[in-house]
Amino acid sequence: MDMRSIHFRIIDSTNTWSKENYRNFERDKITLVTADQQTDGHGRYHRCWISPANQNIYATFTLFIENGAHLIGNISQVTSLAIVNTLKEKNLKPALKWPNDILVNRKKISGILSEVIFEGNWTILIVGIGLNVNMPAEMLEMIDQPATSLLNEKGQTFEINEILLSLKTHFGQCMSLYLERGFQPFLESYRSLIMHKKDEPLMINHQKGFFQSITDDGALVYTSENGETVTTFAGETRV
Ligand code: BTN
């Protein structure tokens, strides 16, 4: 799928701008909106996404899919694999925290905020990615959970545009495959990257549980404290 890019020096949020302007996007292309800085960057559950100027990638991809409601479920998980491929090119060893946080050395380096709009037969997928590239340690400490950046891991700064180019390529490749064949081709690599081990304790949607497995649909299976087996498609984990 062809891609068109729009870049801002400063914006409130690339997701918000995309939601406000998607009507002007071409439906047969992916539109990528990026910014050097966000003044109202946000993550899942309305959390703030710290977005200082010229340090990181703030990017939102918008895709239009006719009759695409069935593709909502795994869009963020497939996107997480595109980010993993991008990071592996820089010799990092990323892992995934279910459903789609990207971690390096158990610290979060990237997050995804996917939003969806339905319009007639159209499903409009708005996929926001924050990837910490040159964020220094003192700024990472301001984040409310263990966080890292490429700079923090490798001790050198990176060319943001070069990483963005790689992300665009991997996102485009992953989406083409996902639109054609669904989640199945990604399942093995998704499972192998999941950091959780069988029977390992975790917090799932603020409840204690023990990780069991990932279903073929990408859902999380865990046992609750009272021994019940639960399958969940939505939520977040903490370890
Ligand atoms: C999360 O882990 O909670 C998701 C974080 C998503 C942050 C990105 S940065 C680009 C885009 N614009 C936003 O306001 N959010 C996403």
Side-chain angles (χ1 to χ4, degrees):
M1 220 187 221
D2 283 349
M3 210 179 279
R4 182 185 164 226
S5 299
I6 305 171
H7 182 73
F8 293 92
R9 200 178 59 76
I10 182 164
I11 202 167
D12 52 355
S13 147
T14 54
N15 266 42
T16 305
W17 194 88
S18 300
K19 282 190 289 179
E20 287 168 356
N21 291 280
Y22 75 89
R23 286 184 191 82
N24 304 321
F25 297 175
E26 290 170 76
R27 296 198 171 213
D28 59 347
K29 292 191 172 64
I30 296 177
T31 299
L32 168 63
V33 177
T34 52
D36 293 336
Q37 180 181 2
Q38 296 186 120
T39 54
D40 185 27
H42 47 270
R44 298 176 76 212
Y45 305 102
H46 306 286
R47 293 191 189 113
C48 166
W49 187 262
I50 298 182
S51 309
N54 304 313
Q55 289 186 1
N56 304 319
I57 289 176
Y58 315 115
T60 300
F61 294 93
T62 300
L63 297 92
F64 294 80
I65 304 160
E66 232 170 336
N67 304 315
H70 61 289
L71 293 168
I72 298 167
N74 302 111
I75 184 81
S76 300
Q77 288 167 316
V78 173
T79 301
S80 72
L81 295 175
I83 299 170
V84 163
N85 290 342
T86 304
L87 293 174
K88 279 185 173 170
E89 278 181 8
K90 296 292 166 205
N91 298 318
L92 291 171
K93 292 191 179 64
L96 298 175
K97 186 165 74 62
W98 188 88
N100 54 243
D101 281 348
I102 298 93
L103 276 63
V104 172
N105 290 327
R106 297 183 79 88
K107 290 173 282 189
K108 184 159 166 174
I109 196 164
S110 178
I112 302 162
L113 175 65
S114 294
E115 303 185 77
V116 60
I117 297 170
F118 295 106
E119 211 180 69
N121 284 342
W122 290 93
T123 302
I124 300 147
L125 297 169
I126 301 197
V127 185
I129 298 172
L131 172 59
N132 298 336
V133 180
N134 292 324
M135 214 181 206
E138 58 273 19
M139 194 151 275
L140 291 165
E141 277 162 21
M142 291 165 55
I143 298 175
D144 61 355
Q145 56 182 308
T148 194
S149 64
L150 278 107
L151 165 65
N152 197 47
E153 293 302 317
K154 290 278 170 194
Q156 62 168 94
T157 55
F158 288 81
E159 194 58 57
I160 292 179
N161 277 332
E162 192 203 313
I163 294 171
L164 184 64
L165 195 62
S166 159
L167 180 64
K168 279 166 73 169
T169 305
H170 288 298
F171 185 85
Q173 286 169 351
C174 286
M175 283 309 131
S176 299
L177 184 59
Y178 183 50
L179 298 188
E180 204 181 305
R181 296 187 43 208
F183 191 50
Q184 197 279 331
F186 300 95
L187 194 54
E188 191 185 329
S189 99
Y190 182 80
R191 280 191 177 127
S192 72
L193 285 159
I194 280 285
M195 65 181 294
H196 317 288
K197 304 278 176 283
K198 192 164 161 49
D199 293 323
E200 187 184 85
L202 80 174
M203 294 296 289
I204 163 75
N205 298 333
H206 307 290
Q207 310 259 306
K208 280 188 191 159
F210 300 89
F211 176 81
Q212 295 308 320
S213 59
I214 301 292
T215 69
D216 289 357
D217 301 323
L220 170 74
V221 182
Y222 67 97
T223 41
S224 65
E225 274 196 305
N226 58 21
E228 192 189 348
T229 302
V230 185
T231 302
T232 181
F233 286 89
E236 68 166 349
T237 51
R238 290 206 171 232
V239 286

